[in-house]
Amino acid sequence: MTYSFDTQIDRRNTGSNKWSKYASDVLPMWVADMDFAAAPPIIDAITERLRHPVFGYCSAKPELRDQIVADMQAKYGWTISPDDIVFLPGVEPGFNMAIKALLSPGKTLAIQTPIYRPILMAPRHWDLSQVDLQVDRPVAEQAAALALADAVLLCNPHNPTGKVYGRDDLQALAAATRGKPIISDEIHCELLYDGRKHIPIASLDPSIARRTITLMSAAKTYNIPGLKAGFAIVTDQMLREQFNASRLGMVDSVNILGLEASLAAFRDCADWRDDVVAYLQANRDYLVKAVAERLPGVSMVAPEGTYLAWLDCRALGLDDPQAYFLEHARIAFSAGSDFGARYGKFIRLNFGCTRATLEEAIECLAACPAFASRA
Ligand SMILES: Cc1ncc(COP(=O)(O)O)c(C=O)c1O
């Protein structure tokens, strides 16, 4: 490993959401960013851009489009062209634009459950009905439910469970949606473990690509979500025009530093990415073992990707595990209820932190009365 991720960086008083929401004695393991410094080429690229003193409106350089085209080919065997790419200030505005472009009020959107809160809220924001796709069941068994939907909003790799959909599930999903539009949030696509390879659903077949809006970003993998840059890939020109038209004056262009950072990330940071994935995988393995050995009554399925772990606390018999651990362990997790009304007894843990922080978290958890009485 070239890069070390063991350095503890004090993020308090830096405007960090994660580190400013709770009291100073609380360890934050909630919002999905990592406690690691960005890769040196990203910091160099931003610094270099800051040397030019004019920060006018900007658009993506052709090099960034070309880099993404080359990456899609090299990483996924997916051939796209530079014009297929639409830059966005984030993936969340991207899936909301896509919904607005594709579905009128009253239509039905399929979403996975449990699911990242802004996706959970999307059907309500846009006055849509909802069909649930159960993340823990094969897609092929849910074809009947999917057939009811007018479009599907897929999150793969999945937040909060870390499930990575393989070829069979993606094929089944494409078949079950029978020519209907797919919005595919693939923001975590480079954070996969155990040698897994991400498959963009649009890369399965050009006919699937033509009805798909794929959303990606350097934000999660390279830990730069505060720089507000992402992109959509829309290979069908008419769909792309519809998508762009749904900005409606609310989704502006991308931050100039976010564009510089994205280019540096995709072009110059493959080593850093491989190292961070290895570090996160080791964190995951540590967590899986620690949960099994030291937290009786908590269970988890090892995430296949993302730095998020979905902990099932139902057997603990607590009313509200998030509130309980905040009070007793002084750790702030994301509450399961944020991911669906049925998941109040779950918590989401962000292990995008140093190993020492993760170890400290396990110590604090294991010392809680809920475990002491079970040991
Ligand atoms: C699945 C998923 N989509 C979208 C986002 C937000 O992306 P952005 O900050 O680019 O809007 C997140 C952030 O946690 C996420 O996990």
Side-chain angles (χ1 to χ4, degrees):
M1 286 235 293
T2 310
Y3 295 99
S4 165
F5 298 93
D6 283 327
T7 310
Q8 299 276 11
I9 301 175
D10 183 0
R11 298 183 61 195
R12 291 196 193 275
N13 303 312
T14 62
S16 152
N17 286 353
K18 188 177 180 182
W19 286 86
S20 61
K21 180 168 175 182
Y22 294 95
S24 59
D25 66 327
V26 170
L27 182 61
M29 302 187 96
W30 61 289
V31 71
D33 66 28
M34 301 192 280
D35 292 333
F36 307 139
I42 293 179
I43 295 174
D44 291 348
I46 295 172
T47 309
E48 184 57 32
R49 182 59 188 80
L50 289 177
R51 289 211 176 89
H52 192 290
V54 183
F55 303 104
Y57 292 117
C58 61
S59 41
K61 292 176 182 165
E63 293 97 294
L64 177 54
R65 288 184 186 273
D66 292 345
Q67 182 67 42
I68 293 170
V69 169
D71 281 354
M72 293 303 129
Q73 192 67 58
K75 291 174 183 164
Y76 314 120
W78 184 21
T79 307
I80 62 163
S81 79
D83 291 341
D84 297 341
I85 304 164
V86 179
F87 288 94
L88 301 164
V91 162
E92 183 181 348
F95 59 69
N96 280 292
M97 272 170 63
I99 293 170
K100 173 68 186 159
L102 294 165
L103 297 174
S104 49
K107 296 285 186 189
T108 301
L109 181 67
I111 59 172
Q112 295 137 301
T113 46
I115 192 66
Y116 171 59
R117 186 161 185 81
I119 294 181
L120 181 73
M121 298 310 287
R124 273 166 261 179
H125 284 329
W126 298 105
D127 292 327
L128 303 171
S129 301
Q130 175 181 328
V131 163
D132 286 0
L133 182 61
Q134 307 282 297
V135 179
D136 53 1
R137 285 179 47 210
V139 175
E141 292 172 14
Q142 304 177 74
L146 274 172
L148 300 173
D150 296 298
V152 60
L153 171 41
L154 174 71
C155 177
N156 177 41
H158 179 255
N159 173 359
T161 66
K163 177 184 165 115
V164 174
Y165 283 70
R167 191 170 294 275
D168 288 351
D169 267 334
L170 295 173
Q171 295 276 20
L173 193 137
T177 50
R178 295 192 195 122
K180 291 173 202 158
I182 299 170
I183 305 160
S184 191
D185 175 340
E186 303 182 14
I187 195 169
H188 296 275
C189 65
E190 291 193 83
L191 293 170
L192 267 58
Y193 305 130
D194 312 309
R196 281 186 184 78
K197 298 264 182 265
H198 175 70
I199 305 174
I201 191 165
S203 72
L204 290 177
D205 187 280
S207 69
I208 300 172
R210 277 195 290 279
R211 59 182 168 106
T212 300
I213 295 174
T214 303
L215 297 158
M216 291 182 176
S217 167
K220 295 293 160 187
T221 306
Y222 303 92
N223 201 32
I224 49 173
L227 291 174
K228 305 312 296 174
F231 59 93
I233 300 173
V234 195
T235 60
D236 182 82
Q237 191 188 338
M238 241 168 59
L239 183 56
R240 196 164 58 247
E241 283 168 12
Q242 248 174 296
F243 177 66
N244 261 318
S246 67
R247 287 179 189 270
L248 296 173
M250 292 187 287
V251 180
D252 206 348
S253 56
V254 180
N255 179 289
I256 196 164
L257 299 180
L259 290 171
E260 293 293 344
S262 299
L263 178 58
F266 294 138
R267 190 187 54 199
D268 306 324
C269 297
D271 292 354
W272 187 95
R273 177 203 59 211
D274 292 348
D275 285 358
V276 85
V277 168
Y279 192 90
L280 292 169
Q281 183 176 311
N283 269 3
R284 179 207 59 177
D285 293 345
Y286 169 84
L287 180 66
V288 167
K289 193 163 180 286
V291 166
E293 290 174 358
R294 303 200 53 200
L295 307 182
V298 179
S299 61
M300 67 180 282
V301 175
E304 298 167 328
T306 81
Y307 44 79
L308 307 168
W310 185 235
L311 305 189
D312 180 346
C313 303
R314 284 176 294 188
L316 290 178
L318 302 169
D319 277 348
D320 179 347
Q322 196 274 349
Y324 178 88
F325 291 126
L326 183 58
E327 183 185 342
H328 293 275
R330 305 301 286 158
I331 302 178
F333 298 113
S334 301
S337 54
D338 283 353
F339 302 82
R342 288 187 290 133
Y343 301 99
K345 309 281 183 198
F346 289 72
I347 52 172
R348 191 192 70 176
L349 179 155
N350 173 349
F351 58 88
C353 57
T354 65
R355 176 65 59 77
T357 299
L358 194 55
E359 286 173 3
E360 181 191 334
I362 294 296
E363 290 305 321
C364 295
L365 287 170
C368 285
F371 300 113
S373 60
R374 291 169 156 261

